mmCIF file of all heavy atoms in Angstrom:
data_model
loop_
_atom_site.group_PDB
_atom_site.id
_atom_site.type_symbol
_atom_site.label_atom_id
_atom_site.label_comp_id
_atom_site.label_asym_id
_atom_site.label_seq_id
_atom_site.Cartn_x
_atom_site.Cartn_y
_atom_site.Cartn_z
ATOM 1 N N ALA J 192 80.460 -21.074 -33.261
ATOM 2 C CA ALA J 192 80.442 -20.152 -34.403
ATOM 3 C C ALA J 192 81.623 -19.183 -34.361
ATOM 4 O O ALA J 192 82.149 -18.781 -35.403
ATOM 5 C CB ALA J 192 79.122 -19.386 -34.424
ATOM 6 N N GLU J 193 82.038 -18.796 -33.153
ATOM 7 C CA GLU J 193 83.199 -17.914 -33.012
ATOM 8 C C GLU J 193 84.484 -18.628 -33.372
ATOM 9 O O GLU J 193 85.420 -18.027 -33.898
ATOM 10 C CB GLU J 193 83.287 -17.408 -31.562
ATOM 11 C CG GLU J 193 82.210 -16.402 -31.185
ATOM 12 C CD GLU J 193 82.323 -15.986 -29.723
ATOM 13 O OE1 GLU J 193 83.291 -16.408 -29.064
ATOM 14 O OE2 GLU J 193 81.436 -15.249 -29.253
ATOM 15 N N ALA J 194 84.553 -19.931 -33.075
ATOM 16 C CA ALA J 194 85.783 -20.692 -33.293
ATOM 17 C C ALA J 194 85.933 -21.176 -34.720
ATOM 18 O O ALA J 194 87.039 -21.171 -35.270
ATOM 19 C CB ALA J 194 85.822 -21.882 -32.328
ATOM 20 N N ILE J 195 84.834 -21.638 -35.351
ATOM 21 C CA ILE J 195 84.898 -22.198 -36.710
ATOM 22 C C ILE J 195 84.089 -21.329 -37.655
ATOM 23 O O ILE J 195 82.886 -21.151 -37.476
ATOM 24 C CB ILE J 195 84.344 -23.641 -36.715
ATOM 25 C CG1 ILE J 195 85.077 -24.507 -35.693
ATOM 26 C CG2 ILE J 195 84.482 -24.242 -38.122
ATOM 27 C CD1 ILE J 195 84.501 -25.919 -35.556
ATOM 28 N N ASP J 196 84.759 -20.776 -38.671
ATOM 29 C CA ASP J 196 84.048 -19.866 -39.578
ATOM 30 C C ASP J 196 83.294 -20.630 -40.657
ATOM 31 O O ASP J 196 83.308 -21.864 -40.705
ATOM 32 C CB ASP J 196 85.001 -18.834 -40.188
ATOM 33 C CG ASP J 196 86.086 -19.430 -41.080
ATOM 34 O OD1 ASP J 196 85.840 -20.503 -41.678
ATOM 35 O OD2 ASP J 196 87.173 -18.833 -41.194
ATOM 36 N N SER J 197 82.642 -19.895 -41.545
ATOM 37 C CA SER J 197 81.778 -20.492 -42.570
ATOM 38 C C SER J 197 82.538 -21.339 -43.576
ATOM 39 O O SER J 197 81.964 -22.192 -44.260
ATOM 40 C CB SER J 197 81.003 -19.391 -43.303
ATOM 41 O OG SER J 197 81.904 -18.469 -43.919
ATOM 42 N N GLU J 198 83.856 -21.138 -43.677
ATOM 43 C CA GLU J 198 84.667 -21.909 -44.615
ATOM 44 C C GLU J 198 85.332 -23.108 -43.944
ATOM 45 O O GLU J 198 86.150 -23.806 -44.561
ATOM 46 C CB GLU J 198 85.725 -21.002 -45.257
ATOM 47 C CG GLU J 198 85.125 -19.910 -46.129
ATOM 48 C CD GLU J 198 86.191 -19.056 -46.795
ATOM 49 O OE1 GLU J 198 87.399 -19.300 -46.526
ATOM 50 O OE2 GLU J 198 85.844 -18.163 -47.558
ATOM 51 N N GLY J 199 85.007 -23.334 -42.675
ATOM 52 C CA GLY J 199 85.545 -24.496 -41.975
ATOM 53 C C GLY J 199 86.885 -24.277 -41.290
ATOM 54 O O GLY J 199 87.494 -25.215 -40.778
ATOM 55 N N TRP J 200 87.354 -23.022 -41.260
ATOM 56 C CA TRP J 200 88.644 -22.739 -40.615
ATOM 57 C C TRP J 200 88.439 -22.572 -39.105
ATOM 58 O O TRP J 200 87.591 -21.802 -38.663
ATOM 59 C CB TRP J 200 89.258 -21.445 -41.156
ATOM 60 C CG TRP J 200 89.775 -21.522 -42.555
ATOM 61 C CD1 TRP J 200 89.179 -21.048 -43.675
ATOM 62 C CD2 TRP J 200 91.004 -22.114 -42.964
ATOM 63 N NE1 TRP J 200 89.948 -21.303 -44.773
ATOM 64 C CE2 TRP J 200 91.086 -21.962 -44.374
ATOM 65 C CE3 TRP J 200 92.053 -22.765 -42.287
ATOM 66 C CZ2 TRP J 200 92.167 -22.434 -45.106
ATOM 67 C CZ3 TRP J 200 93.129 -23.242 -43.027
ATOM 68 C CH2 TRP J 200 93.181 -23.070 -44.418
ATOM 69 N N LEU J 201 89.227 -23.306 -38.333
ATOM 70 C CA LEU J 201 89.229 -23.153 -36.886
ATOM 71 C C LEU J 201 90.184 -22.033 -36.519
ATOM 72 O O LEU J 201 91.361 -22.053 -36.883
ATOM 73 C CB LEU J 201 89.678 -24.442 -36.193
ATOM 74 C CG LEU J 201 89.865 -24.337 -34.674
ATOM 75 C CD1 LEU J 201 88.508 -24.259 -33.975
ATOM 76 C CD2 LEU J 201 90.690 -25.504 -34.138
ATOM 77 N N HIS J 202 89.688 -21.027 -35.805
ATOM 78 C CA HIS J 202 90.521 -19.926 -35.344
ATOM 79 C C HIS J 202 91.111 -20.303 -33.982
ATOM 80 O O HIS J 202 90.405 -20.341 -32.984
ATOM 81 C CB HIS J 202 89.686 -18.642 -35.255
ATOM 82 C CG HIS J 202 89.228 -18.146 -36.590
ATOM 83 N ND1 HIS J 202 89.655 -16.951 -37.133
ATOM 84 C CD2 HIS J 202 88.405 -18.700 -37.513
ATOM 85 C CE1 HIS J 202 89.106 -16.783 -38.321
ATOM 86 N NE2 HIS J 202 88.336 -17.840 -38.575
ATOM 87 N N THR J 203 92.415 -20.604 -33.966
ATOM 88 C CA THR J 203 93.046 -21.207 -32.797
ATOM 89 C C THR J 203 93.285 -20.238 -31.641
ATOM 90 O O THR J 203 93.401 -20.658 -30.495
ATOM 91 C CB THR J 203 94.402 -21.833 -33.179
ATOM 92 O OG1 THR J 203 95.316 -20.775 -33.564
ATOM 93 C CG2 THR J 203 94.235 -22.817 -34.326
ATOM 94 N N GLY J 204 93.419 -18.948 -31.965
ATOM 95 C CA GLY J 204 93.757 -17.989 -30.923
ATOM 96 C C GLY J 204 95.267 -17.914 -30.686
ATOM 97 O O GLY J 204 95.742 -17.084 -29.915
ATOM 98 N N ASP J 205 96.021 -18.768 -31.376
ATOM 99 C CA ASP J 205 97.480 -18.740 -31.286
ATOM 100 C C ASP J 205 98.041 -17.848 -32.390
ATOM 101 O O ASP J 205 97.514 -17.807 -33.502
ATOM 102 C CB ASP J 205 98.064 -20.151 -31.433
ATOM 103 C CG ASP J 205 97.731 -21.028 -30.242
ATOM 104 O OD1 ASP J 205 97.879 -20.571 -29.105
ATOM 105 O OD2 ASP J 205 97.294 -22.186 -30.454
ATOM 106 N N ILE J 206 99.117 -17.148 -32.066
ATOM 107 C CA ILE J 206 99.775 -16.260 -33.034
ATOM 108 C C ILE J 206 101.079 -16.882 -33.492
ATOM 109 O O ILE J 206 101.845 -17.439 -32.695
ATOM 110 C CB ILE J 206 100.062 -14.891 -32.390
ATOM 111 C CG1 ILE J 206 98.773 -14.249 -31.860
ATOM 112 C CG2 ILE J 206 100.736 -13.954 -33.403
ATOM 113 C CD1 ILE J 206 97.742 -13.941 -32.913
ATOM 114 N N GLY J 207 101.336 -16.815 -34.785
ATOM 115 C CA GLY J 207 102.571 -17.356 -35.317
ATOM 116 C C GLY J 207 102.791 -16.921 -36.746
ATOM 117 O O GLY J 207 102.053 -16.103 -37.283
ATOM 118 N N PHE J 208 103.840 -17.497 -37.364
ATOM 119 C CA PHE J 208 104.109 -17.181 -38.771
ATOM 120 C C PHE J 208 104.804 -18.380 -39.416
ATOM 121 O O PHE J 208 105.308 -19.273 -38.714
ATOM 122 C CB PHE J 208 104.966 -15.924 -38.918
ATOM 123 C CG PHE J 208 106.364 -16.044 -38.350
ATOM 124 C CD1 PHE J 208 107.437 -16.396 -39.154
ATOM 125 C CD2 PHE J 208 106.595 -15.808 -37.000
ATOM 126 C CE1 PHE J 208 108.723 -16.505 -38.635
ATOM 127 C CE2 PHE J 208 107.877 -15.907 -36.462
ATOM 128 C CZ PHE J 208 108.937 -16.257 -37.284
ATOM 129 N N ILE J 209 104.774 -18.412 -40.722
ATOM 130 C CA ILE J 209 105.451 -19.476 -41.471
ATOM 131 C C ILE J 209 106.790 -18.939 -41.941
ATOM 132 O O ILE J 209 106.862 -17.955 -42.678
ATOM 133 C CB ILE J 209 104.587 -19.945 -42.659
ATOM 134 C CG1 ILE J 209 103.262 -20.533 -42.151
ATOM 135 C CG2 ILE J 209 105.345 -20.980 -43.497
ATOM 136 C CD1 ILE J 209 102.289 -20.910 -43.249
ATOM 137 N N ASP J 210 107.849 -19.581 -41.487
ATOM 138 C CA ASP J 210 109.202 -19.146 -41.832
ATOM 139 C C ASP J 210 109.445 -19.381 -43.323
ATOM 140 O O ASP J 210 109.398 -20.523 -43.792
ATOM 141 C CB ASP J 210 110.216 -19.952 -41.008
ATOM 142 C CG ASP J 210 111.619 -19.358 -41.069
ATOM 143 O OD1 ASP J 210 111.956 -18.756 -42.104
ATOM 144 O OD2 ASP J 210 112.359 -19.506 -40.080
ATOM 145 N N PRO J 211 109.688 -18.312 -44.103
ATOM 146 C CA PRO J 211 109.877 -18.464 -45.555
ATOM 147 C C PRO J 211 111.122 -19.275 -45.916
ATOM 148 O O PRO J 211 111.215 -19.819 -47.025
ATOM 149 C CB PRO J 211 109.997 -17.015 -46.052
ATOM 150 C CG PRO J 211 110.398 -16.219 -44.852
ATOM 151 C CD PRO J 211 109.777 -16.895 -43.683
ATOM 152 N N LYS J 212 112.079 -19.412 -44.971
ATOM 153 C CA LYS J 212 113.314 -20.154 -45.254
ATOM 154 C C LYS J 212 113.072 -21.652 -45.373
ATOM 155 O O LYS J 212 113.712 -22.331 -46.175
ATOM 156 C CB LYS J 212 114.344 -19.886 -44.153
ATOM 157 C CG LYS J 212 114.813 -18.444 -44.073
ATOM 158 C CD LYS J 212 115.818 -18.281 -42.929
ATOM 159 C CE LYS J 212 116.271 -16.831 -42.787
ATOM 160 N NZ LYS J 212 117.218 -16.670 -41.626
ATOM 161 N N ASN J 213 112.176 -22.166 -44.545
ATOM 162 C CA ASN J 213 111.998 -23.616 -44.508
ATOM 163 C C ASN J 213 110.539 -24.064 -44.500
ATOM 164 O O ASN J 213 110.249 -25.260 -44.465
ATOM 165 C CB ASN J 213 112.703 -24.203 -43.290
ATOM 166 C CG ASN J 213 112.428 -23.400 -42.020
ATOM 167 O OD1 ASN J 213 111.285 -23.026 -41.770
ATOM 168 N ND2 ASN J 213 113.468 -23.123 -41.238
ATOM 169 N N GLY J 214 109.613 -23.108 -44.525
ATOM 170 C CA GLY J 214 108.199 -23.442 -44.521
ATOM 171 C C GLY J 214 107.686 -23.962 -43.199
ATOM 172 O O GLY J 214 106.560 -24.467 -43.119
ATOM 173 N N CYS J 215 108.501 -23.847 -42.153
ATOM 174 C CA CYS J 215 108.100 -24.329 -40.832
ATOM 175 C C CYS J 215 107.307 -23.264 -40.076
ATOM 176 O O CYS J 215 107.488 -22.059 -40.287
ATOM 177 C CB CYS J 215 109.321 -24.732 -40.005
ATOM 178 S SG CYS J 215 110.132 -26.225 -40.618
ATOM 179 N N ILE J 216 106.446 -23.728 -39.198
ATOM 180 C CA ILE J 216 105.582 -22.821 -38.424
ATOM 181 C C ILE J 216 106.262 -22.462 -37.110
ATOM 182 O O ILE J 216 106.722 -23.326 -36.379
ATOM 183 C CB ILE J 216 104.224 -23.504 -38.135
ATOM 184 C CG1 ILE J 216 103.553 -23.902 -39.447
ATOM 185 C CG2 ILE J 216 103.333 -22.578 -37.325
ATOM 186 C CD1 ILE J 216 102.434 -24.896 -39.275
ATOM 187 N N ARG J 217 106.299 -21.173 -36.841
ATOM 188 C CA ARG J 217 106.831 -20.690 -35.566
ATOM 189 C C ARG J 217 105.698 -20.036 -34.790
ATOM 190 O O ARG J 217 105.010 -19.156 -35.307
ATOM 191 C CB ARG J 217 107.968 -19.681 -35.788
ATOM 192 C CG ARG J 217 109.232 -20.299 -36.371
ATOM 193 C CD ARG J 217 110.364 -19.289 -36.484
ATOM 194 N NE ARG J 217 111.547 -19.870 -37.081
ATOM 195 C CZ ARG J 217 112.527 -20.467 -36.400
ATOM 196 N NH1 ARG J 217 112.440 -20.516 -35.072
ATOM 197 N NH2 ARG J 217 113.573 -20.971 -37.008
ATOM 198 N N ILE J 218 105.513 -20.448 -33.572
ATOM 199 C CA ILE J 218 104.447 -19.896 -32.722
ATOM 200 C C ILE J 218 105.060 -18.868 -31.772
ATOM 201 O O ILE J 218 106.056 -19.151 -31.096
ATOM 202 C CB ILE J 218 103.750 -21.014 -31.931
ATOM 203 C CG1 ILE J 218 103.132 -22.018 -32.905
ATOM 204 C CG2 ILE J 218 102.686 -20.441 -31.008
ATOM 205 C CD1 ILE J 218 102.574 -23.243 -32.252
ATOM 206 N N THR J 219 104.467 -17.697 -31.735
ATOM 207 C CA THR J 219 105.040 -16.612 -30.935
ATOM 208 C C THR J 219 104.225 -16.268 -29.689
ATOM 209 O O THR J 219 104.749 -15.642 -28.767
ATOM 210 C CB THR J 219 105.219 -15.335 -31.789
ATOM 211 O OG1 THR J 219 103.959 -15.019 -32.409
ATOM 212 C CG2 THR J 219 106.256 -15.554 -32.880
ATOM 213 N N GLY J 220 102.961 -16.637 -29.651
ATOM 214 C CA GLY J 220 102.181 -16.301 -28.458
ATOM 215 C C GLY J 220 100.695 -16.550 -28.645
ATOM 216 O O GLY J 220 100.258 -17.138 -29.638
ATOM 217 N N ARG J 221 99.932 -16.122 -27.651
ATOM 218 C CA ARG J 221 98.479 -16.260 -27.673
ATOM 219 C C ARG J 221 97.851 -14.905 -27.959
ATOM 220 O O ARG J 221 98.303 -13.874 -27.455
ATOM 221 C CB ARG J 221 97.961 -16.772 -26.330
ATOM 222 C CG ARG J 221 98.191 -18.225 -26.073
ATOM 223 C CD ARG J 221 97.258 -19.105 -26.859
ATOM 224 N NE ARG J 221 95.850 -18.944 -26.460
ATOM 225 C CZ ARG J 221 94.839 -19.457 -27.141
ATOM 226 N NH1 ARG J 221 95.054 -20.116 -28.255
ATOM 227 N NH2 ARG J 221 93.591 -19.272 -26.728
ATOM 228 N N GLN J 222 96.794 -14.905 -28.762
ATOM 229 C CA GLN J 222 96.109 -13.666 -29.124
ATOM 230 C C GLN J 222 95.590 -12.940 -27.881
ATOM 231 O O GLN J 222 95.696 -11.725 -27.760
ATOM 232 C CB GLN J 222 94.961 -13.993 -30.072
ATOM 233 C CG GLN J 222 94.371 -12.791 -30.798
ATOM 234 C CD GLN J 222 93.368 -13.221 -31.834
ATOM 235 O OE1 GLN J 222 92.508 -14.062 -31.580
ATOM 236 N NE2 GLN J 222 93.473 -12.674 -33.037
ATOM 237 N N LYS J 223 95.048 -13.697 -26.933
ATOM 238 C CA LYS J 223 94.456 -13.100 -25.744
ATOM 239 C C LYS J 223 95.498 -12.521 -24.785
ATOM 240 O O LYS J 223 95.194 -11.617 -24.014
ATOM 241 C CB LYS J 223 93.580 -14.122 -25.010
ATOM 242 C CG LYS J 223 92.309 -14.477 -25.753
ATOM 243 C CD LYS J 223 91.451 -15.452 -24.966
ATOM 244 C CE LYS J 223 90.156 -15.778 -25.704
ATOM 245 N NZ LYS J 223 89.324 -16.741 -24.960
ATOM 246 N N SER J 224 96.712 -13.045 -24.821
ATOM 247 C CA SER J 224 97.744 -12.555 -23.899
ATOM 248 C C SER J 224 98.611 -11.465 -24.523
ATOM 249 O O SER J 224 99.442 -10.857 -23.853
ATOM 250 C CB SER J 224 98.640 -13.711 -23.442
ATOM 251 O OG SER J 224 99.354 -14.255 -24.539
ATOM 252 N N MET J 225 98.415 -11.197 -25.824
ATOM 253 C CA MET J 225 99.220 -10.195 -26.530
ATOM 254 C C MET J 225 99.030 -8.799 -25.931
ATOM 255 O O MET J 225 97.914 -8.383 -25.630
ATOM 256 C CB MET J 225 98.821 -10.197 -28.004
ATOM 257 C CG MET J 225 99.582 -9.207 -28.885
ATOM 258 S SD MET J 225 99.142 -9.416 -30.629
ATOM 259 C CE MET J 225 97.414 -8.915 -30.617
ATOM 260 N N ILE J 226 100.132 -8.080 -25.735
ATOM 261 C CA ILE J 226 100.114 -6.722 -25.193
ATOM 262 C C ILE J 226 100.378 -5.741 -26.335
ATOM 263 O O ILE J 226 101.393 -5.852 -27.023
ATOM 264 C CB ILE J 226 101.187 -6.543 -24.098
ATOM 265 C CG1 ILE J 226 100.992 -7.574 -22.974
ATOM 266 C CG2 ILE J 226 101.163 -5.130 -23.532
ATOM 267 C CD1 ILE J 226 102.179 -7.657 -22.024
#
């Protein structure tokens, strides 16, 4: 229940963003290791 929400989204625990220049995903780190 913590990992998959009511809408079916899996919360990966990984942090990243979608680069607006090319639509590619960049991963920057893990939520648990973030300082």
Side-chain angles (χ1 to χ4, degrees):
E193 288 178 6
I195 305 175
D196 64 29
S197 59
E198 295 182 357
W200 289 102
L201 173 73
H202 293 246
T203 67
D205 292 313
I206 303 297
F208 65 95
I209 298 175
D210 193 329
K212 296 179 182 178
N213 46 44
C215 290
I216 303 164
R217 291 184 182 270
I218 300 173
T219 54
R221 285 285 295 169
Q222 194 173 46
K223 290 182 179 179
S224 64
M225 180 174 66
I226 303 167

